Amino acid sequence: MKTSLRTSLVGVVAALVLLAGGVLRAEDIQLLSLKDPIEDPSLMFPRDVSTVLFTRSLKHLPAAGEQEIRMVDLMRIIDTDRASYYELVAAQDLTFWMSLNALQRVNHITVTGWNLEGTTVDVKYTTEPISPDEKGWKTLVEGVRLDSPCTAIRFSPTTVMQAIVTFHTPASDGKPTRVCDLAMISQQDLRDFRIERRPEARTRSPIAHNSALSWNSMPFERQPNLSGMGTGARVLYMSRGADFEQAFLVNDDDPKTSCNFSGNGSESVAIFDMTESRRVRKACLVHNRTPGEVSGYVVNHLPWLGDEDEAASADANGNGNGNGNGKTASKKKSKTLPPMVNIPSSWFAELHKLGGGRTDEVEFTQMEAPVIECRYFIVRHTRAVAPQTAKRPVWLRPMAWWFAGVAASDVMPVALGSGEAPPFTLYDVNVFGDYPPEDWEVAPYDREASLTVSGASPSFLPTSTPKDPELFTPPSPP
């Protein structure tokens, strides 16, 4: 009886070992397809109206004796690249004036940057075009502290035409204060508008790209985010374990919103479809500090999707090389995605890697490479292997005698005794090409027609909004 019981228990524990070992050794990554958010009128994605495409003019307002900052340098605060930055000096008041190209209903402002602790922000606004020294400016917020790498400044929705923004930095603590982005988030649903290339731009030759320039010195870093929802891009797939209710927040216009990937998985993957082939030269990611490494890959074809999808899109839009009418066929064409795809980890070795970096050191990962034409951008995070000590399942230690003196805690997988690791959090994904900013324009997107075609009844008043995650507060980089 004892022998039989012992044999049974040994068999059960061995089965658990094999099962857990099989899970840990699995090389396949399971991807789940996502519905296009344009088809769900209950969602709302407010857009950033402080980017170059929505700004008529921008100017530094220097104090007495100060030298005016070049507009090219100042543009880094309102470009769509949230890894480029403008560096502030200690005990400084940096004031700049911004004029939008139309009245915008602003809901909140999000400031992203490094070492912002102690920095405060003042914002004044007007609803009519006046000069900075004229009367009529109203205070929107004053003395708001920026105590995290991404701080959302919330207020009652306000109509803004012009704004004066002032950053007050504290005394020096040895760490430079860097402002990466100031996003004025509108109440308008960004899906009602489309940022697209002008038809005449498709006949132009690609611009000359000076690859010798440093990543923070691009004078033309003013084009839209090609992987953002505003350009029609969408998240096609995410690996199992992601928070799918937040999946589309990684390519909306707000750098504060995010999506978590399960800490139990060894790899986290997201695939972005830019709707057509684009000339890509750079990407940047905003994420939390999680032990591991993140990589970006570009590809023009996904093996589990038919070639006809890419061919139809290329015929309609000319692959951005001057042919076609500038419209994207895949938005009008009903494209059926396999609901679930299993891909081997070895597949990534066959793809063109744009770049990457460790995620336990910084919150921003920059990737830059020679220009390449692609349609899909893939983010892959590989979690660092956890130490194999100090996480043994205590409850198994009394069973050591079942293994003839070998402690069960020494042979059982660590995963059985350890809790879920911290999730990998992705806040924003930016992809840039070699297009000049004048190639792009903001045009109305006919959501009503799209909803009618897809069979959904149009509704422009959102009944729900995406989740509002807590501010991420990882330690500042050294």
Side-chain angles (χ1 to χ4, degrees):
M1 179 68 179
K2 289 183 178 180
T3 303
S4 176
L5 178 60
R6 177 175 176 176
T7 303
S8 300
L9 288 174
V10 170
V12 170
V13 174
L16 289 174
V17 172
L18 293 175
L19 179 60
V23 172
L24 293 176
R25 291 192 299 267
E27 296 183 357
D28 284 354
I29 303 171
Q30 195 171 74
L31 303 178
L32 302 180
S33 65
L34 300 174
K35 184 180 179 181
D36 192 339
I38 195 86
E39 299 174 0
D40 189 351
S42 67
L43 297 176
M44 181 179 178
F45 297 93
R47 61 177 181 169
D48 176 10
V49 296
S50 63
T51 61
V52 177
L53 286 170
F54 296 97
T55 304
R56 178 184 290 109
S57 55
L58 184 73
K59 184 178 178 62
H60 174 222
L61 302 179
E66 276 189 337
Q67 185 176 359
E68 185 174 342
I69 299 173
R70 295 188 311 156
M71 187 177 67
V72 168
D73 296 328
L74 200 62
M75 279 288 183
R76 297 191 186 117
I77 297 178
I78 64 165
D79 64 2
T80 52
D81 183 355
R82 294 187 171 112
S84 67
Y85 59 83
Y86 181 79
E87 189 167 298
L88 306 179
V89 299
Q92 178 192 29
D93 290 346
L94 169 66
T95 302
F96 66 90
W97 166 78
M98 177 194 311
S99 180
L100 304 178
N101 55 19
L103 283 169
Q104 303 288 355
R105 185 87 165 158
V106 177
N107 186 57
H108 68 276
I109 294 173
T110 302
V111 180
T112 308
W114 295 348
N115 306 324
L116 298 176
E117 295 83 356
T119 301
T120 61
V121 173
D122 304 336
V123 180
K124 297 180 180 180
Y125 75 99
T126 66
T127 57
E128 55 185 349
I130 60 176
S131 64
D133 55 356
E134 288 186 70
K135 295 181 179 181
W137 291 90
K138 303 176 183 177
T139 299
L140 184 60
V141 294
E142 187 173 14
V144 177
R145 292 179 61 87
L146 305 178
D147 289 327
S148 71
C150 188
T151 302
I153 305 171
R154 301 193 177 276
F155 43 79
S156 300
T158 304
T159 302
V160 176
M161 179 71 180
Q162 295 185 145
I164 294 179
V165 182
T166 303
F167 291 96
H168 308 276
T169 58
S172 176
D173 61 355
K175 298 179 181 178
T177 299
R178 296 169 176 174
V179 177
C180 298
D181 190 64
L182 182 138
M184 299 178 67
I185 309 299
S186 168
Q187 280 193 309
Q188 281 184 316
D189 193 331
L190 64 84
R191 299 172 304 167
D192 292 341
F193 297 84
R194 176 87 181 263
I195 301 172
E196 57 187 21
R197 290 190 71 198
R198 300 176 188 270
E200 62 270 20
R202 297 177 176 272
T203 63
R204 301 174 188 161
S205 300
I207 65 174
H209 173 62
N210 186 354
S211 59
L213 292 175
S214 68
W215 66 269
N216 200 34
S217 303
M218 299 294 182
F220 50 87
E221 195 70 271
R222 291 171 281 167
Q223 61 166 302
N225 171 21
L226 299 179
S227 65
M229 202 178 299
T231 56
R234 57 168 294 200
V235 184
L236 275 188
Y237 286 91
M238 277 193 173
S239 53
R240 181 178 290 278
D243 187 339
F244 293 101
E245 291 186 14
Q246 296 180 311
F248 299 112
L249 301 184
V250 298
N251 73 326
D252 64 355
D253 270 351
D254 193 343
K256 178 181 176 294
T257 57
S258 62
C259 178
N260 289 332
F261 292 82
S262 172
N264 282 338
S266 60
E267 297 192 48
S268 302
V269 178
I271 299 181
F272 297 82
D273 181 5
M274 293 181 286
T275 73
E276 63 178 86
S277 189
R278 305 285 194 186
R279 294 192 303 272
V280 170
R281 63 174 176 81
K282 177 183 176 182
C284 70
L285 312 178
V286 183
H287 50 76
N288 67 339
R289 290 192 180 193
T290 302
E293 184 174 347
V294 68
S295 304
Y297 301 86
V298 290
V299 65
N300 235 334
H301 171 68
L302 298 177
W304 59 87
L305 298 181
D307 290 331
E308 66 276 7
D309 293 308
E310 282 75 10
S313 178
D315 292 341
N317 57 53
N319 270 344
N321 291 328
N323 301 319
N325 56 13
K327 301 298 180 182
T328 304
S330 58
K331 277 293 177 183
K332 297 181 180 180
K333 181 178 179 180
S334 178
K335 185 176 182 179
T336 302
L337 300 175
M340 184 175 66
V341 177
N342 290 329
I343 60 173
S345 295
S346 58
W347 179 59
F348 293 100
E350 305 171 8
L351 306 182
H352 181 87
K353 185 177 179 180
L354 195 66
R358 295 194 60 82
T359 54
D360 52 359
E361 300 172 352
V362 294
E363 299 93 15
F364 301 91
T365 296
Q366 190 86 2
M367 308 173 188
E368 193 169 354
V371 177
I372 185 172
E373 194 163 319
C374 67
R375 171 169 177 172
Y376 302 97
F377 180 71
I378 303 174
V379 176
R380 177 195 186 195
H381 179 258
T382 305
R383 188 174 294 274
V385 178
Q388 299 294 305
T389 58
K391 291 185 179 179
R392 296 172 178 174
V394 178
W395 63 272
L396 284 174
R397 291 173 184 169
M399 297 177 60
W401 63 278
W402 294 109
F403 291 90
V406 179
S409 57
D410 290 333
V411 299
M412 291 296 291
V414 173
L416 288 182
S418 60
E420 182 175 351
F424 171 62
T425 304
L426 194 57
Y427 292 88
D428 203 25
V429 176
N430 293 185
V431 176
F432 304 98
D434 61 345
Y435 308 99
E438 57 269 18
D439 275 7
W440 299 85
E441 64 180 348
V442 180
Y445 189 91
D446 195 352
R447 281 183 65 205
E448 185 173 0
S450 300
L451 292 170
T452 303
V453 170
S454 65
S457 57
S459 173
F460 300 102
L461 293 178
T463 57
S464 64
T465 56
K467 291 181 179 179
D468 186 16
E470 294 296 323
L471 297 177
F472 71 103
T473 55
S476 299

